[in-house]
Amino acid sequence: MTNIKKVSELAGVSTATVSRTLKMPDMVTARTKEKVMKAVKEAGYRPSWLATSVKTGRTNTIVVLVPNLINPFFMRIIGGIEQAAQERGFTVLLCDTQGDSKRESDYASMVLTNRADGLIQLDHSFPFNEDDAKLAETIPMVSVCERIHSDKKYPVVALDNYAASRALAHHLVSYGHTKFAVIVGQVVSQIHKDRLYGLRSVLTEENIEFDEDMIVGQSYSIENGIEGMRQLLAKPNRPSAVICFNDDIAIGAMHEIHRQGLSVPEDISVVGFDNVKVSAFMNPPLTTIDQPAYEMGRRGMEILSDVINGVPLTRSSEMLPFQLLERQSSGPAPL
């Protein structure tokens, strides 16, 4: 079997440099990395995971807790995580939690038992059980999308949901809408609070009354959008504009509007969050907030790598920019 010494001879560098390049590629120059990786390929070298783990106490594996693996928004985030992980010498273990706390704690315990070096949480919940909570305070962990509910502040990469919600509200107000409704997702998350706060702040500024009974929903699913829209259409005062807290909800809402013989946006304008790929191909195409999901995942992995390697963080929170994509699902309020 080819060993690291052979790689160092082919690359013309020391064995320490080869080791550093393979474990922490961001710590060497681009030229050195290129020489070493070329030599690795030429020599057919494969590092021994077990030997490396025993020697360094590291696995070069990270755990990603995903609430729902079939959600296209999360898949874009995972794409960014995977790319950054590959560049920094980490393997990614995806764990589909389905929002179940027992699953979360079981998967998260892999870091506590040295089967992984760190963790990225894509949900708002603290993933460790009460017995492990104290020990977990030393675990490298980063949250992406949602701020983790915990006494300790973990690094977070997210969208400015307050500002994004305000942008949607301003967009609809500019079309003359005054009858608003919201179909929400998880009601206990910070995203829920920030998006509602953003909407309410704009309506207050515009002296538009908002009926709290026009808030429905409980999950980020198409089915929730259908049921939420059904509830809204059964109310005495039908909304003219519906803000959905993700695109799946909006897809379900538009389906139910059409099923009941109404039109989007002529009767009801519908807007969403995330800009999943299918949103541009809906009938009509969906107005939505484009979240930089890939970049969020990439930055989350870069930050986690720094935490694992003991690199000091310059800040604990990063808010990435968004873009309002105006399409044909929103338009003037009906007369």
Side-chain angles (χ1 to χ4, degrees):
M1 179 182 291
T2 303
N3 59 31
I4 196 170
K5 190 170 188 306
K6 177 66 174 177
V7 175
S8 70
E9 290 172 355
L10 289 171
V13 298
S14 67
T15 55
T17 299
V18 173
S19 179
R20 189 180 307 113
T21 302
L22 296 176
K23 294 173 187 174
M24 296 179 286
D26 53 311
M27 301 296 287
V28 299
T29 66
R31 173 151 179 74
T32 297
K33 180 180 177 181
E34 182 182 358
K35 287 195 301 180
V36 170
M37 296 313 293
K38 182 180 178 182
V40 165
K41 185 176 181 181
E42 184 178 342
Y45 175 64
R46 294 292 182 272
S48 168
W49 172 85
L50 182 60
T52 301
S53 179
V54 170
K55 186 176 180 180
T56 66
R58 295 263 295 272
T59 66
N60 290 333
T61 297
I62 65 107
V63 168
V64 180
L65 301 181
V66 190
N68 185 350
L69 265 177
I70 66 173
N71 186 309
F73 174 67
F74 288 135
M75 293 310 296
R76 287 164 56 204
I77 293 176
I78 291 167
I81 293 173
E82 286 276 9
Q83 182 61 40
Q86 285 289 314
E87 292 172 1
R88 292 183 172 228
F90 286 91
T91 299
V92 176
L93 180 61
L94 297 178
C95 301
D96 188 2
T97 68
Q98 292 295 308
D100 182 87
S101 58
K102 176 66 167 56
R103 281 194 186 190
E104 279 192 339
S105 61
D106 286 346
Y107 288 135
S109 69
M110 295 180 69
V111 188
L112 295 175
T113 53
N114 298 319
R115 287 176 287 167
D117 300 328
L119 185 153
I120 294 178
Q121 169 67 301
L122 302 189
D123 208 345
H124 67 277
S125 55
F126 182 71
F128 297 94
N129 60 39
E130 290 184 10
D131 294 336
D132 294 334
K134 189 66 178 176
L135 183 60
E137 289 182 359
T138 62
I139 294 299
M141 182 161 61
V142 175
S143 60
V144 176
C145 300
E146 298 256 23
R147 186 179 297 279
I148 294 173
H149 286 180
S150 170
D151 292 336
K152 178 179 176 180
K153 291 189 181 300
Y154 291 93
V156 58
V157 180
L159 184 80
D160 188 340
N161 285 284
Y162 170 77
S165 182
R166 281 182 58 86
L168 282 176
H170 277 302
H171 167 69
L172 293 167
V173 168
S174 73
Y175 273 128
H177 290 280
T178 58
K179 299 177 181 178
F180 284 80
V182 187
I183 307 180
V184 303
Q186 292 178 324
V187 298
V188 296
S189 70
Q190 190 62 44
I191 283 179
H192 172 85
K193 296 175 183 177
D194 289 345
R195 291 179 182 176
L196 277 184
Y197 183 36
L199 168 64
R200 289 187 180 116
S201 67
V202 170
L203 298 186
T204 298
E205 292 166 6
E206 298 291 338
N207 294 315
I208 298 173
E209 292 187 9
F210 180 62
D211 184 353
E212 296 293 323
D213 287 339
M214 301 303 280
I215 301 174
V216 298
Q218 59 184 353
S219 68
Y220 292 109
S221 67
I222 292 175
E223 292 77 12
N224 181 53
I226 293 172
E227 177 56 29
M229 199 68 238
R230 188 175 295 145
Q231 293 175 29
L232 292 173
L233 292 178
K235 294 181 181 293
N237 297 314
R238 191 176 74 197
S240 68
V242 179
I243 295 178
C244 300
F245 276 13
N246 81 345
D247 288 351
D248 276 0
I249 295 173
I251 289 168
M254 289 170 65
H255 171 83
E256 183 62 19
I257 291 170
H258 292 145
R259 193 190 70 80
Q260 295 201 27
L262 299 171
S263 297
V264 177
E266 290 79 9
D267 296 307
I268 303 175
S269 287
V270 177
V271 298
F273 277 84
D274 294 348
N275 189 32
V276 298
K277 193 167 186 178
V278 72
S279 66
F281 302 96
M282 294 297 297
N283 183 24
L286 179 66
T287 294
T288 187
I289 293 293
D290 180 31
Q291 298 199 56
Y294 181 90
E295 185 60 26
M296 289 165 71
R298 184 181 182 87
R299 282 297 300 138
M301 182 62 233
E302 290 172 349
I303 293 169
L304 181 61
S305 175
D306 286 345
V307 173
I308 291 171
N309 290 314
V311 178
L313 300 181
T314 56
R315 51 184 172 174
S316 63
S317 176
E318 289 193 23
M319 293 294 162
L320 300 189
F322 64 88
Q323 183 180 2
L324 171 59
L325 301 179
E326 181 176 358
R327 299 186 179 124
Q328 288 73 54
S329 71
S330 56
L335 300 175

